Amino acid sequence: MKFYDRIKELEILQENEIQSFENAVFMVMMGRRRVGKTSLVTKAMEGKEYAYLFVSKDSEALLCHSFQRDLEQQIGLSVYGEITRFKDLFEVIMKEAQKRHLTIVFDEFQMLYKINPAIFGDIQNVWDRYKGTAKINLIVLGSIQSLMKRIFEESSEPLYGRPTSKFTLRPFTIDVLKQILRDANPNYQPEDLLCLYAITGGVAKYVELLIDAKCYTKEKMLNYVCRQDSYFLTEGKDLLNQEFGAESGTYFSILQVIAAGKTKRSEIDSILQKDTGAFLQNLEGRYDLISRVKPLLAKQNGKVTSYEIHDNFLRFWFRFIYPYQSLIERNLFPLLRSNMTNGYDGFTGRTLERYFQDMMMETGRFTQAGNWWDRKGQNEIDLIAINEFDHTGIVAEIKRNAQKISVQKLKEKVTELPGKDFGAYHLELKALSLEDM
């Protein structure tokens, strides 16, 4: 698959590179695994000299030995003697940046925490001593959210406040997904787009896998997911085991329950027969895997709340793949695929709501988008998107089948919206279905 989009991100990388010829730049790029961080940097550095250093799980001494070799091969930086400490290697890099311009990329930077947490204090010390006169474009990439946040966003950590540039790389937008699918299959149907969105959520690696395998339709995509050699079958475990560590069993169980539609705290506690409060708090705050879903404009501490997995792929994986490991182990892939078919329409009903909520926010016209329901769980509205500056908005009923939408019922639900929250808004009513994607 060819390289798509990332125009704004490429501009950031280009501007940082220009700045680094005069002032030291320390750029941090975060983002979930497979989202395309390495591909973005590779694209930005096409035709330019830079060193790409991947932080593997080796010992500090072995890692330094590997980096010495890479630095000499990629940018001609000869390091004499055998360096066994990262501090010494980083100092060699920063000294060289006094003499000439360097671009250095550290990928999976957070893994240094597991090799030796003291390394970050060493980096701070060396950076602070040399940055004033260094011509360096230092780029660090990281994908384990909990560790990257700890390293760069906790005030007690040595690298807090050191980066000169920091952003999170997000999955492809809906417009880009449409462009990719249109290029691959100009005659694609709305159902195909919904399936691509449901499985991948716009994550670059997942999109690439399906497109390169010429899986352009819903049926081909689902068949590919359920193949014996499918990358997707183990991807959820591969993504999360490093995040969760010893507590992975409980976290996986909670995510499975939420994906199955049991989204209230009381329901989750009841099914798992334990107090899951601390785990839910970690999943939301530390790991950034679930979101607390409230009626739009509801009070932050209100009791009307539920939880949702906000990563589309993980939501799909915990609904259709993780609970059926026994089928996978026994090679019963036709049964796995059959179960996916049976639950697909119900599952993608909510996915379609998420699609339109994302689409509304991507237009740039609205400041908030979400669902709304009253305290009794009745009068649920699938989509409200509002602009808090000009007090305009859209209220929509969303169904896969347009014929099942009743605009009259939607009007009745709108009358139940609390005046203190929505009274000042001019709301346009819409009916949205697959055909409107």
Side-chain angles (χ1 to χ4, degrees):
M1 188 178 82
K2 70 179 186 181
F3 189 88
Y4 281 89
D5 194 44
R6 307 306 194 195
I7 296 169
K8 293 178 181 178
E9 291 86 354
L10 286 169
E11 287 176 354
I12 291 172
L13 285 162
Q14 182 180 19
E15 289 168 3
N16 282 343
E17 184 190 16
I18 293 170
Q19 178 185 334
S20 67
F21 279 92
E22 295 184 4
N23 306 105
V25 169
F26 188 164
M27 193 192 89
V28 177
M29 188 195 307
M30 293 184 279
R32 56 105 74 213
R33 290 181 187 272
R34 331 299 192 214
V35 80
K37 299 181 295 297
T38 307
S39 296
L40 173 60
V41 170
T42 302
K43 180 69 174 178
M45 295 298 157
E46 278 182 352
K48 300 172 184 176
E49 184 181 72
Y50 70 102
Y52 173 83
L53 307 174
F54 182 84
V55 182
S56 59
K57 297 179 182 178
D58 295 322
S59 67
E60 186 174 353
L62 283 175
L63 194 65
C64 289
H65 177 72
S66 173
F67 286 170
Q68 278 184 256
R69 183 188 65 243
D70 293 339
L71 288 166
E72 183 164 5
Q73 291 176 351
Q74 296 177 32
I75 60 173
L77 174 54
S78 297
V79 182
Y80 299 103
E82 187 173 342
I83 292 180
T84 58
R85 296 191 306 170
F86 186 90
K87 173 186 178 181
D88 298 331
L89 184 76
F90 191 59
E91 187 163 10
V92 168
I93 292 171
M94 292 299 289
K95 283 182 177 179
E96 183 72 11
Q98 311 294 303
K99 307 171 189 175
R100 61 170 170 140
H101 177 264
L102 296 179
T103 294
I104 308 292
V105 180
F106 287 102
D107 202 352
E108 296 297 346
F109 183 76
Q110 77 283 341
M111 294 305 296
L112 290 172
Y113 204 99
K114 298 189 176 183
I115 294 170
N116 179 5
I119 285 175
F120 300 112
D122 295 334
I123 293 174
Q124 175 208 343
N125 180 273
V126 174
W127 178 261
D128 288 350
R129 281 193 288 127
Y130 291 99
K131 67 177 181 179
T133 51
K135 299 179 180 65
I136 188 167
N137 185 19
L138 179 63
I139 303 171
V140 304
L141 314 178
S143 56
I144 297 182
Q145 298 279 59
S146 54
L147 282 180
M148 288 297 285
K149 286 184 177 181
R150 181 188 306 176
I151 293 165
F152 292 107
E153 296 181 6
E154 290 189 7
S155 58
S156 59
E157 292 292 325
L159 291 182
Y160 176 79
R162 270 25 186 218
T164 59
S165 172
K166 183 172 66 173
F167 70 90
T168 300
L169 188 64
R170 305 292 181 188
F172 289 139
T173 63
I174 286 169
D175 278 346
V176 175
L177 281 181
K178 288 180 181 179
Q179 182 186 350
I180 294 170
L181 197 52
R182 191 183 305 116
D183 289 348
N185 177 20
N187 298 316
Y188 79 86
Q189 299 301 307
E191 193 73 78
D192 305 326
L193 176 59
L194 181 60
C195 189
L196 183 67
Y197 173 80
I199 294 174
T200 71
V203 173
K205 178 66 175 181
Y206 306 153
V207 176
E208 181 182 39
L209 283 168
L210 293 172
I211 296 302
D212 286 352
K214 295 182 170 30
C215 296
Y216 311 142
T217 66
K218 167 194 163 185
E219 293 303 317
K220 287 183 177 179
M221 291 179 204
L222 295 179
N223 288 343
Y224 184 87
V225 168
C226 294
R227 268 173 33 175
Q228 183 175 351
D229 64 339
S230 172
Y231 177 95
F232 294 104
L233 295 179
T234 60
E235 174 65 355
K237 286 184 179 179
D238 295 341
L239 273 177
L240 298 179
N241 275 336
Q242 287 192 56
E243 287 275 13
F244 295 152
E247 298 283 3
S248 61
T250 300
Y251 286 119
F252 272 72
S253 296
I254 291 172
L255 291 169
Q256 179 183 340
V257 169
I258 293 173
K262 304 300 182 183
T263 61
K264 293 183 173 57
R265 163 79 184 276
S266 58
E267 294 175 324
I268 299 167
D269 286 355
S270 176
I271 291 170
L272 299 183
Q273 293 293 295
K274 68 188 301 181
D275 184 347
T276 60
F279 295 97
L280 289 168
Q281 188 174 359
N282 284 340
L283 284 169
E284 182 181 13
R286 182 178 179 186
Y287 300 118
D288 193 27
L289 289 172
I290 64 173
S291 301
R292 201 174 302 197
V293 183
K294 293 176 176 290
L296 193 71
L297 298 185
K299 293 180 180 178
Q300 192 63 30
N301 58 353
K303 294 183 179 180
V304 185
T305 186
S306 59
Y307 292 94
E308 186 170 57
I309 302 171
H310 57 69
D311 183 290
N312 272 19
F313 168 74
L314 289 175
R315 183 171 170 265
F316 179 90
W317 191 83
F318 275 103
R319 171 63 180 83
F320 291 115
I321 297 175
Y322 178 68
Y324 307 104
Q325 295 299 301
S326 62
L327 297 181
I328 295 169
E329 290 168 4
R330 291 183 290 159
N331 287 338
L332 297 176
F333 297 103
L335 278 178
L336 185 72
R337 177 68 177 85
S338 174
N339 179 68
M340 202 171 284
T341 298
N342 293 337
Y344 183 83
D345 283 359
F347 176 81
T348 53
R350 171 59 185 143
T351 306
L352 190 61
E353 293 177 21
R354 291 162 63 109
Y355 174 93
F356 283 115
Q357 289 171 12
D358 285 350
M359 191 177 79
M360 292 300 170
M361 291 303 294
E362 288 173 13
T363 65
R365 293 171 48 203
F366 304 102
T367 56
Q368 288 194 63
N371 305 78
W372 184 87
W373 62 95
D374 61 22
R375 287 182 174 274
K376 296 179 180 178
Q378 301 170 349
N379 296 308
E380 183 172 351
I381 297 176
D382 299 327
L383 166 66
I384 303 180
I386 58 171
N387 183 317
E388 294 161 283
F389 300 113
D390 64 13
H391 291 94
T392 59
I394 287 174
V395 178
E397 181 82 2
I398 300 170
K399 301 287 185 190
R400 287 174 52 88
N401 185 346
Q403 295 180 352
K404 293 185 177 181
I405 298 175
S406 169
V407 176
Q408 181 56 42
K409 286 185 178 179
L410 179 59
K411 289 180 180 177
E412 294 170 4
K413 292 177 182 178
V414 169
T415 63
E416 299 296 324
L417 290 172
K420 62 182 178 62
D421 295 328
F422 295 97
Y425 287 89
H426 178 266
L427 300 173
E428 177 187 358
L429 273 61
K430 281 185 173 290
L432 298 172
S433 68
L434 276 170
E435 286 72 21
D436 299 294
M437 291 181 67

